[in-house]
Amino acid sequence: MPPDSIPMTAGQQRGRRSWAEPWKIKMVEPIHMTTREFRQKAIAEAGYNTFLLRSEDVYIDLLTDSGTNAMSDRQWAGLMLGDEAYAGSRNFYHLEEAVRQHYGYRHLVPTHQGRGAEHILSQIRIKPGDYVPGNMYFTTTRLHQELAGGTFVDVIIAEAHDPANLHPFKGNVDLDKLQDLIEKVGAEKIPYVSLAGTVNMAGGQPVSMANVRALRELTDRYGIPIYLDATRMVENCYFIQQREPGYAGKPVAEILREFCAYTDGCWMSAKKDALVNIGGWLAMNDQELFDEARNMVVVYEGLHTYGGLAGRDLEAMAIGIEESTRDDHIRSRVGQVEYLGQMLLDWGIPIVQPVGGHAIFLDARKIYEHIPQDQFPAQALTADLYVDSGVRGMERGIVSAGRDPATGDHRYPKLELVRLAFPRRVYTQAHIDVVAESVQAVYENRAQARGLRMGYEPKHLRFFQARFEPLPE
Ligand code: F0G
């Protein structure tokens, strides 16, 4: 160790050798810092909703890890190989091969993004009056299940609703809760289990291999299929490798195949794990379901060999899938998230623990404990962070949870969070240091924070477009 007078790297301070990203930068996109006055005006004009800001007015954009990834030189080269034939594009066959090889499902239906696949699966599987159990809701997933006439039932383990609980697999399904639901409503009313890895709304928390294995055994007894939201399943598999006994030496790509083999199919937002800017798919083993999905995709997305995408997008996805499952990539991707998480924890700032795969989630309920939940503490914290430094995050609390369709009241989720999501291969450690310092500054000012009132509230997925105003002092 160097003597005290010489500054130490973060790695040395933790008594370890540092790792670095398995890439170097070939092209850059300038970003710039604005003034505090500018940002105060910008967020007011955006109705205190970071979705309504212009991206040019953002310094470090952690709104989402969706479609914000940097593609590799191989992916950019792949764009030039786009076969833009209406039918039978060679890029479709390359993508089909990549999905078969890495996820293991037989049949592939491309869609323009994840919700296109959610729409098709929900429409062909769910009948009015059905129940869809899942390990915590996701906004678009649940909405499509509801629009198809289903009722989503949360069967995630209780630990997932507690930001401070250190359970290593907080995405796990509570099999007793699922069994109770099956006994209550009957297996014939459950078209499938909606299983997500990792669980976005719980903080990017993984599902263990032991849990999916046990889930398979339980559902097999009742003939209920399992469909997987594979959007961040590679990240989930990294956590299995790191945390689950028996998986320490296994490549993530192998763990992914094993996990998927316990499920009947998946839907995918390729804008996350698969390292592209647009794209998604639905994949399954069942021939009959495939025939239905392939028929449905031509109504809503496009022919079954392009599904609303250009041939070049299919090619970028096929290459991205392969890159995303490499151990060195996934380790540095999750490692960057962990780097910010560790810093905030060292400073005593409340965040969801353990740190998840794609984002840091600030515990707004704790940080702004003086603001009641119906005054939108996480929305307010997101706006305050933007004003402090131009860092853009997203509310994941009462606004995102929306209203109960039966009663029309707000749903009051236990988790009231601000998500700082990391685009893949985009920001450096210096950017992350800036984010950490800004979170700390806002945290130190927390006593001054005020709640919000919702002015405009759209009917569907209100968090995207709702407008707010500060409550008077
Ligand atoms: N499932 C999960 C777990 C997601 O996180 C998303 C999108 C979708 C499905 C829908 O996919 O956007 O391609 O239509 N999540 C983004 C986010 C929007 O910011 O977390 P999509």
Side-chain angles (χ1 to χ4, degrees), residues 63-66 113-116 118 138 140-141 198 200 229 231-232 267 269 271-272 279 394 396 419:
L63 181 72
T64 175
D65 62 328
S66 180
Q113 58 183 80
R115 70 198 72 178
E118 289 171 344
F138 182 70
T140 57
T141 316
T198 58
N200 193 350
D229 183 341
T231 297
R232 298 186 185 85
W267 69 94
S269 170
K271 302 170 73 172
K272 283 78 166 178
M394 174 196 296
R396 294 275 83 155
R419 187 183 75 170

Side-chain angles (χ1 to χ4, degrees), residues 277-305:
N277 304 120
I278 193 72
W281 72 74
L282 185 61
M284 70 283 284
N285 293 324
D286 185 76
Q287 179 71 45
E288 230 171 88
L289 188 74
F290 174 55
D291 290 340
E292 274 183 75
R294 199 159 66 146
N295 194 217
M296 189 89 165
V297 81
V298 298
V299 180
Y300 290 103
E301 304 273 319
L303 194 76
H304 56 270
T305 56

